[in-house]
């Protein structure tokens, strides 16, 4: 958190946005693949086109051109794909550096890493020190940028929560259910955790 605050303090807004756009563009490779794995072929085509446009016209993804030409950003990952095919989430976990997750979410992280080009920097560069430095460095910058982007959200949530741990746990589980079902969550649908209802599902 202190590092994320320092990052926000020293980084101009336009640079911060460019860094976020760059990593978001790389993530679109995995988004397109998970679209296919979930049978969302039209959306996969849209997300693939978005990646190509942002990578070329958007200067390696630094500028989000796709959103300006009706190619919106979608949120699909391997955890959602597993959930789409009926894999149970398993126990709730809080992972160092990654935050809220589940057993299924851990498998999702591994799947997402396999679809991320940063993981294969050793293929582009000769394996060794430089490849590890580039891959590790990009991973650290992405983690810091993501944490910095969520500072305001965390502050609001922490101030609103009576029980901070329970609040973030329920919010995470409900949001994942919302994403897996693409927002089409029946009113009567509730999440269960150790036999206790978490209440109606919400995107937040």
């Amino acid at each position: 958190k202190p590092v994320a605050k320092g990052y926000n303090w020293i980084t101009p807004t336009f640079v911060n946005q460019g860094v976020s756009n760059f990593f978001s563009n790389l993530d679109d490779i995995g988004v397109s693949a998970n679209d296919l794995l979930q049978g969302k072929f039209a959306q996969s085509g849209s997300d693939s086109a978005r990646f190509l446009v942002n990578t070329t016209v958007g200067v390696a993804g630094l500028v989000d051109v796709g959103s300006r030409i009706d190619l919106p950003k979608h949120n699909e990952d391997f955890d959602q794909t597993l959930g789409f095919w009926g894999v149970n989430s398993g126990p709730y976990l809080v992972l160092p550096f990654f935050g809220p997750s589940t057993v299924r979410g851990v498998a999702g992280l591994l799947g997402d890493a396999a679809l991320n080009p940063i993981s294969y920097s050793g293929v582009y560069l000769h394996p060794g020190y430089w490849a590890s430095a580039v891959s590790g460095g990009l991973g650290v910058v992405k983690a810091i940028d993501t944490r910095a982007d969520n500072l305001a959200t965390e502050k609001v949530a922490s101030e609103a929560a009576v029980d901070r741990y329970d609040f973030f746990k329920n919010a995470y589980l409900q949001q994942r259910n919302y994403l897996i079902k693409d927002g089409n969550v029946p009113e009567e649908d509730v999440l269960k955790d150790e036999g206790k209802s978490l209440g109606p599902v919400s995107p937040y």
Side-chain angles (χ1 to χ4, degrees):
K1 185 174 182 178
V3 174
K5 286 184 174 180
Y7 173 82
N8 272 348
W9 185 73
I10 66 173
T11 307
T13 301
F14 75 94
V15 174
N16 189 356
Q17 186 61 57
V19 172
S20 297
N21 288 344
F22 173 78
F23 288 114
S24 176
N25 186 54
L26 290 181
D27 287 342
D28 279 341
I29 297 174
V31 170
S32 300
N34 281 292
D35 285 334
L36 287 176
L37 292 173
Q38 295 175 40
K40 301 174 182 177
F41 302 114
Q43 184 170 300
S44 179
S46 172
D47 290 330
S48 297
R50 174 187 168 85
F51 172 74
L52 290 174
V53 168
N54 283 345
T55 301
T56 53
V57 183
V59 193
L62 295 175
V63 180
D64 183 5
V65 178
S67 294
R68 303 177 186 178
I69 59 172
D70 200 27
L71 292 172
K73 175 74 177 179
H74 293 111
N75 186 336
E76 302 290 350
D77 52 45
F78 196 60
D79 178 36
Q80 291 179 57
T81 296
L82 293 174
F84 175 85
W85 289 108
V87 178
N88 191 275
S89 65
Y92 175 74
L93 303 171
V94 179
L95 305 176
F97 299 107
F98 292 98
S101 187
T102 59
V103 172
R104 187 187 65 206
V106 173
L109 288 174
L110 295 176
D112 292 335
L115 295 171
N116 193 322
I118 294 176
S119 303
Y120 303 100
S121 59
V123 175
Y124 317 131
L125 306 170
H126 291 293
Y129 173 77
W130 285 110
S132 299
V134 170
S135 179
L138 287 173
V140 169
V141 172
K142 180 179 181 181
I144 294 173
D145 179 70
T146 301
R147 186 68 180 88
D149 289 344
N150 284 294
L151 283 173
T153 303
E154 183 214 14
K155 180 180 179 182
V156 172
S158 296
E159 291 175 350
V162 176
D163 183 328
R164 188 175 186 276
Y165 174 84
D166 199 47
F167 178 89
F168 278 98
K169 173 184 177 181
N170 292 350
Y172 172 80
L173 293 174
Q174 291 180 25
Q175 190 223 25
R176 297 311 295 176
N177 193 41
Y178 179 88
L179 290 174
I180 289 168
K181 296 183 178 180
D182 294 324
N184 300 314
V185 183
E187 184 66 29
E188 67 274 10
D189 188 9
V190 294
L191 290 171
K192 300 290 183 179
D193 178 60
E194 297 180 355
K196 296 189 295 182
S197 171
L198 299 181
V201 177
S202 162
Y204 308 105

